[in-house]
Structures are given as C-alpha cells and as structure tokens.
Amino acid sequence: MELRFEDDPLAQSFVARIPDLQARHRALGLSDEESRATLQALPRHVALHRVCGGEPGGWWVEWIEMIWEGKLSELGRLQFEDHGHGVLDVHIPETGLPLDPAACDAAFARAREVYPSHHSAQCTSWLLDPQLLEYLPGDSNIVRFQQRFELEPYEEPEGLDADVEVLRFAFRTLTTPLDQLARRTVLQRAIVDHLKAGRHWYWRRGRFPI
C-alpha cells in the first residue's frame, strides 16, 4: 500500500516502518485486509488533525506509536488495543461506517480469535455518556453499543476534554461557533443543543466479558 505525506517528515518516518508492523500483524494472525485497515489509522489521524487546523507533524504521535508497536488491531468495525492483564481496550475508528450491532458482534468474535487469552473488553468514550439517551432513540446504533457495557463510576480524566473531542470527531472543527455548526444528523443536533444549554459531555468507561 502507498501512503504519501510529502510535507510531513514525521508521518513519512512511520510509513518507512510499515514492513516491520506488517510482520507483527502476521505474527499476531491478522489477515492482509485487517493489517491494511489497521494502517489506515495513520492517514485518518493526520487528516483529522489537518482539517481541524493542525500543522504538519503536530498530531498525537503517541497514539500512532502505540499502533506501530503492534498493540492495536482493527478487526472489522472496531479497534482492539491490548491493555494487558487479559483486557482489551475498544476503540471506534472514524471510518464513516455505521456502528451496526451485527458488525460489532463480528468484530468482538474476531477479537476473541486474535486475543484468545483476553477475558474482557473495556471502552472509554464520550459515546458511552448516558446523557445521549436523552436525545437518541432507544434502537439507535449508539444506544445499542452503550448497552453492551456496564459503566464504571465516573472519574474526571486528566488532560482530556470530552467537549473538545466531541466537536473534533462529530464536526471536524474546534473553532466554528455552535450556531454555525451543521446539524444534519440526530447526533449532531444532540451535541449542539446540549452544549448550547450550558451542559457538558463526559468520558465514561464501561466493561463487559468477551
């Protein structure tokens, strides 16, 4: 596969390391398709950073470094990070595909094959914020994803502002005034209405056995 970042030497350095990462994927048992999907984390991450006004090389290097060390695999609709101690961290890649329950079931089934010694999955995301239940229908994909997890008591994370991340991923902007944000989906309308009411979104963590 060809990934090109002519104006970003840091991204180019990760591209040069792709053969080593592919070897790690083969050792883990990933298919070629799963390996290619995992590698797409780099262009997605760089593109999101750029569209939000970031400069080349200023993106979250630690996140990509963790992936390039072979600690995360994209298995269908979800990403799984080896958290250690038999626990997988679940991440939701920004692929544009719906968070379909059947696709998530398939991803968890594949994770059990790739990581047979792991016994539970945990997810930390604003998508697990139960406040979303105030706005989304009960049969929405996000609500059904939430229902997989048993939430842990809320703890304020260090250095992570959920409101900022919601805007980054739902609208791909950090500077557009709320009144000017597009509100094309139920989720986008919920996010804007919630923030305009002076309320906040929160990172929540949940876990369930796999």
Side-chain angles (χ1 to χ4, degrees):
M1 65 184 302
E2 184 178 7
L3 300 176
R4 306 184 66 168
F5 303 95
E6 288 86 350
D7 63 340
D8 194 331
L10 182 57
Q12 290 176 6
S13 71
F14 280 97
V15 173
R17 295 165 54 191
I18 284 178
D20 291 338
L21 177 57
Q22 290 173 321
R24 292 189 180 96
H25 287 166
R26 288 192 293 271
L28 190 59
L30 299 192
S31 68
D32 289 343
E33 181 180 0
E34 290 166 341
S35 180
R36 286 192 295 269
T38 304
L39 291 168
Q40 288 303 309
L42 177 60
R44 277 200 305 263
H45 190 65
V46 173
L48 180 59
H49 174 75
R50 296 273 185 91
V51 79
C52 289
E55 296 295 328
W59 34 274
W60 189 10
V61 178
E62 292 80 6
W63 169 252
I64 299 300
E65 185 63 51
M66 180 271 296
I67 297 173
W68 253 240
E69 290 175 356
K71 296 179 180 178
L72 179 144
S73 304
E74 188 164 323
L75 306 175
R77 185 61 187 91
L78 301 172
Q79 295 170 329
F80 297 90
E81 175 191 349
D82 188 350
H83 187 76
H85 307 290
V87 178
L88 292 173
D89 278 338
V90 181
H91 304 282
I92 307 164
E94 187 77 5
T95 62
L97 297 174
L99 198 61
D100 180 77
C104 291
D105 287 342
F108 282 114
R110 179 62 177 140
R112 287 191 287 271
E113 295 174 348
V114 174
Y115 302 98
S117 63
H118 290 64
H119 52 72
S120 62
Q122 68 178 17
C123 181
T124 305
S125 173
W126 60 270
L127 286 174
L128 294 188
D129 190 335
Q131 294 180 108
L132 285 167
L133 297 173
E134 300 175 27
Y135 304 95
L136 303 180
D139 61 350
S140 73
N141 287 340
I142 291 175
V143 171
R144 287 187 284 183
F145 183 76
Q146 284 189 354
Q147 291 170 343
R148 296 175 184 269
F149 298 87
E150 181 178 349
L151 287 183
E152 298 179 359
Y154 177 72
E155 293 184 5
E156 185 74 24
E158 294 184 6
L160 292 174
D161 187 330
D163 290 342
V164 171
E165 293 306 303
V166 167
L167 294 175
R168 186 195 307 273
F169 285 97
F171 298 99
R172 295 182 173 271
T173 182
L174 298 177
T175 59
T176 304
L178 293 178
D179 288 336
Q180 297 178 23
L181 292 173
R183 301 174 61 190
R184 300 185 181 93
T185 68
V186 174
L187 179 60
Q188 288 177 332
R189 290 192 292 272
I191 290 168
V192 172
D193 290 346
H194 193 80
L195 294 175
K196 287 179 69 174
R199 303 172 68 186
H200 298 281
W201 297 105
Y202 298 99
W203 295 100
R204 296 302 303 268
R205 176 179 294 157
R207 182 180 291 208
F208 80 101
I210 59 174

